[in-house]
Amino acid sequence: MATVSLTVNGKAVTANVDPRTLLVQLLRENLRLTGTHVGCDTSQCGACVVHLDGKAVKSCTTLALSVDGATVTTIEGLAVNGVLHPMQEAFREHHGLQCGYCTPGMIMAAVDMVSRRGHSLDEATIRDDLDGNICRCTGYHNIVKAIAAGAEAMGKAATPTRKAAE
Amino acid sequence: MSATGIGAAVRRKEDHRFITGQGRYTDDINRPGQTYAYFLRSPHAHATLNRIDAKAAATMPGVLGIYTGEDLAADKIGGLICGWMIHNKDGSPMRAGSHPALAQGKVRYVGDHVAVVVAETLAQARDAAEAISVDYGVLPAVVDTASAASSKTQVHAESADNTVFNWHLGDKAATEKAFKAAKHVTKLDLVNNRLVPNPMEPRAAVGDYDQGEGAFTLYTTSQNPHVARLVLSAFIGIAPENKLRVVAPDVGGGFGSKIFIYAEETVCVWAAKKVGRPVKWTSDRTEAFLSDAHGRDHVTHAELATDADGKMIGMRVKTTANLGAYLSTFSSSVPTYLYAPLLSGQYDIPAIYCEVDAVYTNTAPVDAYRGAGRPEATFVVERLVEIAARELGKDPAKFRMQNYIKKFPHQTPVIMMYDTGNYAASMKKALEIIDYKGLAKRKRDSARNGKLRGIGFSSYIEACGIAPSAAVGSLGAGVGLWESAEVRVNPVGTVEVLTGSHSHGQGHETTFAQLVSDRLGIPIENVSIIHGDTDKVQMGMGTYGSRSGAVGMSAIAKAVDKVIAKGKKVAAYVLEADEADIDFKDGNFHVKGTDKTLDFGSCALQAYIAHKFNGQDLEPGLKEGAFYDPTNFTFPAGVHICEVEIDPETGITRIERWAAVDDFGIVINPMIVEGQVHGGIAQGVGQALLEGARYNQDGQLVTASFMDYCMPRADDLPSFDVGMTVTPCPSNPLGIKGCGEAGAIASPPAVINAITDALGHEEVTMPATPQVVWRAAQKSIKRMAAE
């Protein structure tokens, strides 16, 4: 067993884990943050996307011990004081989800996409950038609409993006 | 129409928990003292199980129990069942082999269940499974669908020639006669490719046993928890139904694959008693590829006869359907009664004859996948019709419209009585949306850029709202396919609706609440939809076959009507009026011709206080239940048109436009219905362009992860133009036809017809990958140069 300490959704946490423990297992099993899902085990589907030090990563292929000291945001940490993040609102408004299983990863990937590519995202850009996330229910039609609207709303809410910061 | 009533695009009530990470899926459930199961699976497609040595594994850290098929047999746990009896042409019953949850004596596909290890942690269970030594006697494998019946290797002793049944439907003599009279016959050989459903949530189960009560609970990823309980209880013998609770909480997609009662769920709930602690199993993605029921896998020869006017006069179809190594729960119904009765499509074809041979192979079981039989039928019909139009030199849209059924009701020669429809209206609307008139110019523009542009039509019909119990009973179903509902009104006038339907992405919590709020005139927030727990909902048949709207909601409507009728009796006492004088409108009971009213909430309160009436004349309380059995199947139909552009240099096909016009009857929530269409199209495009489960000749599944099996991604698809036409369904009180499968049924032939149009009628197989399309494009270019 080994000790790993990190900040998850603003809280400092320490866990004693088997060295082969993946970040997603730490989140789901030790911290009971079950919003992050496992859909494929091979980094293909993106259901497990979380933000690691502000950047999207696939937590199903990240060893927990490798992120000691890092800051992690999961879907549970996206809303602030009960106020939904604009991207969460956009997914609901545009029916960007059906079964909900891929949704946390989609939303976390979408927020990261806005950070990297700005608030004005056309359809081709969104479809191209979303190639690391699979949804089996929606045919992506409404996810694309939701991300475009969410990106714009993030701009109005003046959410700083990495692109702007650079 | 109110902002939340029938026809309104109400935003979904269930979404808040999903977008905040608060959904509760089976793997999110953890029981005190929980242990973990890991299944040791066969690495061979076909082998005798000579010896399983688990002695060393049993002593490894954390191991609590290792069980095999012998342990299940010793506890008299029965095998998995197939719930639909099909009879051969000669009237004899189908020949099915046994299907033990853990293999007994033999393994029959890669992934078949050899043993289960239960341990303190998943890692310990997996480590121990690797230490189990199994002596396999490897046998040759039967893999190929078309040649399975002629293989020297036999999958089950019970099924000579690996044949489960030789079945047929239709009038053979009349069809032969039609072909003799034909002016033209169009012939087609096709393969409907094997698919893996792949809902994003893998299957999972948590089995729990309460020693004090002697009762089991199974939390599981099911589309139909009551059917699961019935099978686990009455057939497999886990426990009587009153001692077995099945809970299907949030379920992350199903598409058919979570209808079935599988080995892993069965073993988990049984093993919970063996180890005396809860047992959890969660499939990883490769296990899902290996052991979830697959879909499709047909090899077909089909012919269409037309007369001198281009009128369709006959169709004959011969199909071999691969059912895999064991018969899954509803597998036998899929290539038979869910397939051949749809071969008339939207067309007036007086004579149809279809033969289906179902075969066993050493591959994963095959069962219903979104559309289940109807996509296979539509692919046969719409490819045949498209090719016939080309051979006859007719415009494909006009040829279809010439042959559409125009009078209803219409009795087809293959069982179905179509109740209503207006197929030409959908075609005309789709032609407008796609701008058919502008196609020639768009083709020229593409040609100027060195690209090939094509258009493909699909006029599909499906039979859903499955289904009248007596009808399916006569066709071999082991159960009736009604639905149940209970409407419980609380004393404050809020309402809980218990339904036997199950939502795993379809948005029932919103759509069903819209119906109830509309009928009772109460705010949608005051209505909660409860489903997926056999301890809460008494009985139900679950969600598949696009039945939840037409059948499930009809049951709710019936129960709501009973609530209103009871409410009128209560109101009559409270308002001191005659019951016959009470009207109910917009959430108020009122006495005709007076200003005396009682709102719904006050009526509910009075029903429970019960001071105003005598409990002998009128029972207190306000709660009503209903069972609804439909009078016919429903027949959603529509036209999808796909336009593609192909790069002949790379073989890459881009879908440029998609017009979908569907007639789903009355629509409760258009936003949700359109979402169902989008998702269905994407799965059909996946079948047409990307997806294919492949076994090698040894029976190894070579497409067993998302790295090898190509799932549709956002950049493979366009946005879709979705339109609707409406002919209300006459066979249920709400006029609903169902929308869940339409997209997946309509889309594969639309794509392939478009590609073959672009390639100058050169044929392609599914999936039409860039390599397939490139080869066909090169052939087409050479042929056209020679001409």
Side-chain angles (χ1 to χ4, degrees), chain B residues 693-716:
Chain B
R694 293 283 165 81
Y695 286 89
N696 70 11
Q697 60 183 11
D698 301 324
Q700 294 293 334
L701 183 62
V702 295
T703 51
S705 80
F706 286 160
M707 293 187 290
D708 310 296
Y709 182 96
C710 189
M711 293 279 280
R713 293 173 194 256
D715 58 353
D716 296 312

Side-chain angles (χ1 to χ4, degrees), chain B residues 461-478:
Chain B
I461 191 161
E462 55 162 326
C464 53
I466 291 171
S469 298
V472 294
S474 74
L475 303 179

Side-chain angles (χ1 to χ4, degrees), chain B residues 566 573 606-607 609-621:
Chain B
K566 170 84 180 281
Y573 279 103
Q606 290 297 334
I609 290 174
H611 290 173
K612 303 267 184 179
F613 52 90
N614 178 334
Q616 274 69 52
D617 297 335
L618 180 64
E619 285 179 20

